């Protein structure tokens, strides 16, 4: 045990040479602080393993310095300037009766305070930015909320670029992210609930929704799924997504993720629910529908005709990115009669100089491109771009000149790769890339019949998926006519009077703006 004199004169850090084994994790639930200052401090230091970042600052209240006290806090999590201010002003403290309540009221001037009767909440508060004030002679420490976090400033989203629109993206501080939503939705019906998940990480989760629009059954289901999570760590939003999604054995995402506050606000106003976790710059949106993964914030910042054309281009790129290599394999291997005679002669001449069948050529180039894609993502940005561009050009040209693959294969793979970059959401591009290899194998085995079989299987699989009980293809299947104003097409704003029925049936009226008319 540490002596009182050792603690009060040890300065800022505790001596590491006197470490003892920490008590069990659940032992703290019923352990109560002592009225002796030294015993309480010693227990806290022992429990935290005498860690170097646990700082101890002794001081005294009043001019006569008769009331001894100590601040315990974690370096880097608390505002040390505020602690210094409290300590420097402590000599002006007037010891009125009752003394403990007067001390708590004094500390309240700096930050919100809470009294703690046992060590479990005390330790929890210590590691979320509270300074613990232990007063000699009292068995109830006071936790003062003076958190201080160094965070990344709000900046442009990295994965969801737009030409016209907001340049703000979420950051790793969940409080900042909620404030970004509040700036866009200044309505009292935007309700925010808080949960803590992870017995050790104690990650703060915030659930945001429009109370008068959201489907209450979906909200209850989300709470049920979050409450049944029992894990020691939740380090980022991907952990939550895996634990609450409907279908595990599917490549398609059933939870939508975004780092844009404007996109999140738009989904909230359609009756969906946002889940934001501390430490992650992404928001999870539920329920998620298949078509929304191909929508972009820029669809609504451009005119309706431009937004519709861009959106249709994205849906076209789904088929190009998923089926282009398999169509090339099927036509050149089984259905040469579909190729014009002149082009067929050129393809045959190229194929004579290569040692591998078309399927093997295409597979080699696809794997090579996937390697280049991952290398470009993981490497530093300036180097990564050079590796992707130079690698693709050099390897493709060298492979053609060496006679390993034909020029036509390089063209097909290049078009496929470019089409795969059109998707506004990274998570939907991954299943398209996975399915591409399956379609290639089917095309090499059965030709166009194999592609038809595979495409039918994908449609059947999509029709069985649900996101929080909502059919994945809802709006398209089952077909909802009034939702078509913002599904495959983007109708003018003055036509989008109703909220999507696919996600909510409450408060359907969104606007009643008449069609613009020219002034006479």
């Amino acid at each position: 045990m540490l002596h009182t004199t050792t603690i009060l004169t040890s300065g800022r850090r505790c001596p590491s040479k006197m470490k003892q084994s920490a008590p069990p994790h659940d032992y703290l639930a019923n352990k109560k602080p002592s009225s002796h200052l030294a015993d309480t401090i010693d227990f806290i230091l022992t429990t935290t393993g005498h860690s170097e970042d646990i700082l101890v600052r002794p001081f005294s209240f009043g001019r006569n310095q008769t009331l001894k006290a100590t601040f315990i806090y974690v370096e880097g999590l608390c505002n040390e300037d505020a602690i210094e201010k409290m300590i420097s002003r402590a000599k002006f403290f007037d010891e009125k009766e009752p003394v403990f309540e007067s001390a708590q009221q004094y500390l309240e001037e700096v930050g919100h305070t809470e009294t703690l009767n046992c060590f479990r909440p005390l330790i929890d508060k210590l590691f979320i930015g509270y300074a613990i004030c232990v007063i000699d002679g009292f068995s109830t420490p006071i936790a003062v909320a003076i958190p201080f976090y160094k965070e990344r400033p709000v900046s442009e989203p990295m994965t969801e670029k737009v030409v016209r629109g907001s340049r703000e993206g979420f950051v790793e501080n969940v409080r900042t992210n909620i404030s970004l939503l509040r700036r866009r939705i200044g309505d009292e019906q935007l309700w925010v609930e808080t949960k803590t998940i992870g017995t050790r990480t104690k990650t703060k989760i915030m659930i945001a929704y429009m109370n008068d629009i959201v489907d209450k059954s979906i909200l209850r289901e989300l709470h049920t799924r979050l409450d049944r999570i029992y894990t020691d760590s939740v380090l980022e939003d991907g952990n939550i997504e895996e634990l609450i999604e409907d279908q595990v054995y599917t490549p398609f995402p059933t939870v939508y993720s975004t780092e844009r506050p404007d996109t999140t606000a738009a989904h909230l106003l359609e009756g969906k629910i946002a889940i934001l976790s501390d430490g992650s710059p992404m928001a999870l949106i539920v329920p998620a529908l298949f078509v929304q993964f191909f929508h972009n914030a820029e669809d609504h910042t451009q005119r309706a005709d431009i937004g519709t054309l861009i959106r249709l281009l994205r849906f076209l790129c789904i088929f190009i990115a998923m089926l282009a290599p398999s169509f090339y394999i099927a036509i050149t291997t089984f259905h040469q009669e579909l190729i014009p005679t002149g082009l067929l002669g050129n393809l045959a001449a190229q194929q004579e100089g290569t040692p591998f069948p078309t399927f093997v050529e295409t597979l080699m180039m696809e794997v090579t491109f996937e390697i280049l894609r991952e290398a470009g993502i993981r490497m530093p940005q300036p180097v990564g771009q050079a590796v992707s561009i130079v690698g693709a050009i050099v390897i493709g040209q060298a492979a053609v000149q060496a006679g390993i693959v034909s020029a036509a294969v390089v063209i097909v793979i290049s078009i496929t790769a470019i089409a795969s970059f059109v998707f506004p959401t990274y998570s939907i591009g991954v299943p398209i890339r996975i399915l591409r290899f399956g379609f290639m194998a089917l095309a090499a085995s059965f030709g166009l019949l194999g592609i038809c079989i595979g495409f039918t299987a994908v449609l059947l699989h999509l029709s069985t998926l649900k996101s929080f009980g909502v059919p994945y293809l809802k709006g398209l299947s089952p077909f909802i006519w009034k939702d078509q104003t913002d599904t495959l097409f983007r109708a003018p704003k003055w036509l989008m009077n109703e909220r999507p029925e696919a996600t909510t049936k409450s408060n359907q009226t969104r606007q009643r703006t008449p069609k613009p008319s020219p002034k006479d």
Side-chain angles (χ1 to χ4, degrees):
M1 300 286 287
L2 292 175
H3 297 290
T4 305
T5 55
T6 303
I7 293 177
L8 296 180
T9 60
S10 61
R12 291 172 57 83
R13 299 187 184 274
C14 53
S16 58
K17 63 181 181 179
M18 303 188 70
K19 288 188 176 182
Q20 303 176 15
S21 60
H25 188 260
D26 56 354
Y27 172 69
L28 301 175
N30 298 318
K31 179 69 176 178
K32 297 186 180 298
S34 170
S35 59
H36 296 287
L37 179 67
D39 293 342
T40 300
I41 295 176
D42 181 71
F43 186 86
I44 295 173
L45 296 180
T46 303
T47 302
T48 57
H50 290 266
S51 300
E52 288 294 319
D53 61 335
I54 307 296
L55 305 185
V56 177
R57 293 297 310 276
F59 69 101
S60 299
F61 283 101
R63 296 183 181 274
N64 299 325
Q65 299 187 354
T66 56
L67 188 61
K68 303 296 182 181
T70 297
F71 273 121
I72 304 176
Y73 61 96
V74 179
E75 186 178 25
L77 295 185
C78 283
N79 189 336
E80 296 195 44
D81 292 337
I83 294 176
E84 294 292 343
K85 181 180 178 181
M86 285 190 289
I87 292 177
S88 63
R89 292 177 58 241
K91 62 182 178 181
F92 301 109
F93 174 72
D94 187 9
E95 297 185 17
K96 297 179 181 178
E97 294 294 337
V99 176
F100 182 83
E101 286 74 8
S102 300
Q104 183 178 2
Q105 186 176 3
Y106 161 77
L107 296 175
E108 188 78 35
E109 297 178 3
V110 179
H112 172 69
T113 63
E114 295 182 33
T115 55
L116 307 171
N117 296 318
C118 60
F119 278 105
R120 178 72 272 166
L122 187 152
I123 298 298
D124 291 343
K125 295 292 184 183
L126 182 67
F127 289 110
I128 60 173
Y130 280 70
I132 308 301
C133 180
V134 183
I135 302 175
D136 194 21
F138 297 94
S139 60
T140 307
I142 303 172
V144 187
I146 47 173
F148 175 75
Y149 302 110
K150 291 183 179 180
E151 63 180 59
R152 179 173 60 89
V154 176
S155 58
E156 184 176 1
M158 296 297 295
T159 59
E160 299 176 69
K161 302 284 187 179
V162 294
V163 176
R164 180 179 176 182
S166 172
R167 295 293 190 273
E168 287 185 335
F170 286 131
V171 296
E172 285 73 17
N173 190 324
V174 69
R175 294 286 183 185
T176 303
N177 295 341
I178 290 295
S179 68
L180 292 175
L181 291 179
R182 289 285 186 187
R183 285 177 55 189
R184 286 164 174 80
I185 307 177
D187 189 84
E188 72 279 0
Q189 291 298 322
L190 175 56
W191 289 13
V192 179
E193 300 178 11
T194 304
K195 288 183 179 291
T196 301
I197 302 179
T199 57
R200 295 189 183 274
T201 59
K202 297 178 176 62
T203 306
K204 183 179 294 184
I205 306 298
M206 288 195 169
I207 304 167
Y209 58 91
M210 300 301 296
N211 182 59
D212 60 336
I213 303 175
V214 70
D215 188 330
K216 295 301 193 295
S217 63
I218 297 177
L219 182 62
R220 287 193 296 269
E221 177 64 22
L222 174 61
H223 278 290
T224 300
R225 297 188 188 188
L226 290 174
D227 291 339
R228 74 186 183 196
I229 296 177
Y230 184 80
T231 179
D232 62 352
S233 64
V234 172
L235 299 177
E236 52 96 34
D237 63 291
N239 302 146
I240 301 174
E241 180 180 354
E242 280 194 83
L243 296 172
I244 65 173
E245 59 186 357
D246 287 63
Q247 182 60 261
V248 177
Y249 302 106
T250 178
F252 292 96
T254 55
V255 177
Y256 184 80
S257 60
T258 179
E259 57 178 334
R260 297 187 62 89
D262 55 347
T263 300
T264 306
H267 284 299
L268 292 178
L269 292 171
E270 291 181 350
K272 297 176 184 176
I273 308 169
I275 308 164
L276 301 100
S277 60
D278 204 16
S280 174
M282 307 289 286
L284 301 179
I285 309 293
V286 295
L289 305 182
F290 178 72
V291 292
Q292 82 182 54
F293 288 94
F294 301 96
H295 294 178
N296 186 266
E298 197 171 12
D299 296 348
H300 294 272
T301 59
Q302 303 283 1
R303 285 180 44 183
D305 51 354
I306 299 174
T308 297
L309 288 174
I310 295 174
R311 187 174 290 182
L312 291 176
L313 180 63
R314 293 196 202 107
F315 284 106
L316 174 62
C317 288
I318 300 176
F319 299 97
I320 296 175
M322 186 167 57
L323 301 175
S326 56
F327 264 109
Y328 177 77
I329 294 171
I331 291 174
T332 56
T333 305
F334 294 96
H335 311 284
Q336 293 90 348
E337 68 277 4
L338 298 178
I339 306 175
T341 305
L343 180 59
L344 181 61
N346 291 335
L347 293 177
Q350 295 177 23
Q351 195 64 37
E352 286 181 1
T354 57
F356 303 109
T358 305
F359 173 70
V360 177
E361 291 181 43
T362 310
L363 183 62
M364 286 193 303
M365 290 304 298
E366 277 289 349
V367 172
T368 302
F369 178 78
E370 291 295 332
I371 294 173
L372 287 173
R373 183 205 294 261
E374 289 301 314
I377 293 175
R378 309 304 168 197
M379 295 183 71
Q381 187 172 2
V383 181
Q385 292 178 351
V387 168
S388 300
I389 297 172
V390 176
I393 295 174
V394 172
I395 292 176
Q397 184 67 23
V400 172
Q401 291 182 350
I404 299 175
V405 298
S406 63
V409 170
V410 175
I411 294 173
V412 171
I413 298 303
S414 300
I415 294 174
T416 303
I418 294 171
S420 66
F421 286 122
V422 175
F423 305 138
T425 307
Y426 178 80
S427 58
I428 198 61
V430 177
I432 300 297
R433 290 158 57 187
I434 295 173
L435 292 174
R436 187 188 305 155
F437 290 96
F439 277 107
M440 288 166 56
L442 289 171
S445 302
F446 306 105
L448 292 178
L449 176 62
I451 295 177
C452 293
I453 294 173
F455 193 72
T456 303
V458 171
L459 286 179
L460 290 174
H461 176 68
L462 289 173
S463 65
T464 61
L465 294 180
K466 290 186 177 181
S467 178
F468 284 78
V470 179
Y472 200 48
L473 295 178
K474 192 170 184 180
L476 297 176
S477 175
F479 185 81
I480 302 175
W481 173 253
K482 72 173 186 177
D483 285 4
Q484 302 312 306
T485 56
D486 194 23
T487 304
L488 296 178
F489 305 93
R490 208 281 270 176
K493 281 292 184 181
W494 47 269
L495 279 178
M496 301 171 65
N497 295 324
E498 306 291 331
R499 304 185 200 279
E501 189 179 319
T503 54
T504 183
K505 292 182 173 60
S506 303
N507 199 352
Q508 281 284 296
T509 302
R510 174 157 46 190
Q511 67 170 16
R512 283 290 181 263
T513 306
K515 178 181 178 180
S517 58
K519 184 177 180 181
D520 295 333

